[in-house]
């Protein structure tokens, strides 16, 4: 009976020591994590091209000194929401005091002439900049209802599908309806595209046609039916 009681006391003591050690370790780790040693001191920005990285870093001035575990997602969102050119972002904390902000900027699809000036826009119609002249490699987009029109969304989808060797050659993109997208190429050739459906296939077919028959040798590429595309 005494041996059983002695073993029970020893077991309880062992458990008590183990639990105490775990709690002490958690307390030490917690104290370290929320201490000034883990305060935010550096914001590192990756992926910024059009947006000055220094401006993004300055947007986090209000959270400098905050322990990394206490920086809320809402605070990060509030700091980055002032930059409309940011399409998506991701963050990473690197102890003891660094926050890495990786951003993806909006990709332009073309230029809209508003009547009061040019606007370089992305596929969502967000204005990226207001250039004096059409930037090289960016087509003029002509649709009846501007960026709110279904034709614009169709044109944007088509432009985004174009391969790198074709995209810079497009000077103009139009759509009377979402099913009537047309492109104009440098040199005068035009492209009958049709709807934005099967755009990836149409883009591949167009690229192959342009190799077989360069734009300065034909008047029109018709890829509206990509399985039976023609040039004329």
């Amino acid at each position: 009976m005494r041996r059983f009681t002695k073993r029970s006391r020893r077991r309880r003591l062992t458990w008590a020591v183990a639990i105490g050690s775990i709690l002490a370790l958690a307390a030490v780790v917690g104290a370290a994590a929320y201490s000034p040693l883990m305060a935010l001191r550096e914001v590192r920005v990756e992926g910024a091209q059009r947006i000055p990285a220094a401006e993004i870093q300055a947007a986090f001035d209000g959270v400098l000194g905050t322990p990394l575990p206490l920086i809320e997602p809402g605070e990060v969102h509030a700091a980055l929401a002032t930059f409309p050119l940011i399409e998506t972002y991701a963050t990473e904390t690197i102890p003891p005091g660094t926050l890495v902000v990786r951003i993806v900027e909006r990709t332009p699809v073309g230029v809209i002439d508003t009547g009061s000036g040019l606007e370089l826009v992305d596929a969502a119609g967000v204005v990226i900049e207001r250039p004096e002249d059409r930037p090289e490699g960016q087509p003029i987009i002509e649709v009846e209802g501007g960026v709110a029109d279904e034709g614009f969304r169709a044109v944007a989808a088509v432009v985004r599908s174009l391969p790198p060797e074709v995209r810079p050659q497009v000077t103009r993109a139009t759509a009377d309806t979402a099913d009537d997208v047309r492109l104009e190429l440098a040199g005068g050739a035009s492209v009958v595209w049709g709807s934005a459906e099967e755009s990836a296939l149409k883009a591949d077919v167009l690229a192959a046609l342009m190799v077989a028959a360069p734009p300065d040798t034909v008047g029109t590429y018709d890829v509206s039916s990509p399985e039976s595309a023609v040039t004329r």
Side-chain angles (χ1 to χ4, degrees):
M1 182 69 178
R2 281 195 295 271
R3 285 198 301 272
F4 177 77
T5 303
K6 187 176 182 180
R7 284 198 300 271
S8 298
R9 286 200 301 271
R10 189 179 297 123
R11 247 191 327 266
R12 287 197 296 271
L13 180 60
T14 300
W15 276 105
V17 171
I19 293 173
S21 299
I22 293 172
L23 291 175
L25 179 61
V28 170
V29 172
Y34 294 94
S35 76
L37 296 176
M38 293 288 286
L40 176 63
R41 292 185 292 276
E42 177 192 10
V43 178
R44 188 187 308 163
V45 179
E46 298 178 0
Q49 295 178 353
R50 294 178 181 274
I51 309 170
E55 292 185 8
I56 298 176
Q57 291 168 330
F60 287 88
D61 284 351
V63 292
L64 289 176
T66 303
L68 294 181
L70 294 182
I71 298 176
E72 297 288 341
E75 292 177 304
V76 174
H77 179 76
L80 298 178
T82 57
F83 301 95
L85 296 190
I86 295 179
E87 186 169 13
T88 61
Y89 67 86
T91 60
E92 177 188 2
T93 55
I94 301 179
T98 300
L99 175 67
V100 180
V101 182
R102 298 184 178 91
I103 68 170
V104 176
E105 294 183 346
R106 295 183 180 275
T107 303
V109 295
V111 177
I112 296 284
D113 188 346
T114 65
S116 58
L118 301 179
E119 292 182 345
L120 182 65
V121 298
D122 77 340
V126 175
V127 178
I128 295 174
E129 64 177 88
R130 293 177 171 85
E132 291 290 330
D133 302 302
R134 180 178 71 87
E136 184 177 353
Q138 300 296 338
I140 292 287
I141 297 176
E142 295 180 352
V143 289
E144 188 65 30
V147 296
D149 190 78
E150 290 185 359
F152 171 79
R153 290 191 289 272
V155 167
V158 169
V159 171
R160 294 189 69 167
S161 74
L162 297 174
E165 65 271 23
V166 174
R167 172 85 160 78
Q169 300 185 57
V170 179
T171 60
R172 189 176 302 272
T174 65
D176 293 332
T177 70
D179 297 321
D180 185 33
V181 176
R182 292 173 178 266
L183 309 177
E184 290 184 14
L185 306 177
S190 62
V191 181
V192 178
W193 195 277
S195 73
E197 295 180 3
E198 298 185 288
S199 279
L201 175 59
K202 292 176 181 179
D204 290 340
V205 170
L206 176 61
L209 289 176
M210 290 174 65
V211 171
D216 58 354
T217 65
V218 300
T220 302
Y221 301 95
D222 189 337
V223 296
S224 56
S225 296
E227 293 82 2
S228 55
V230 297
T231 59
R232 53 180 183 268

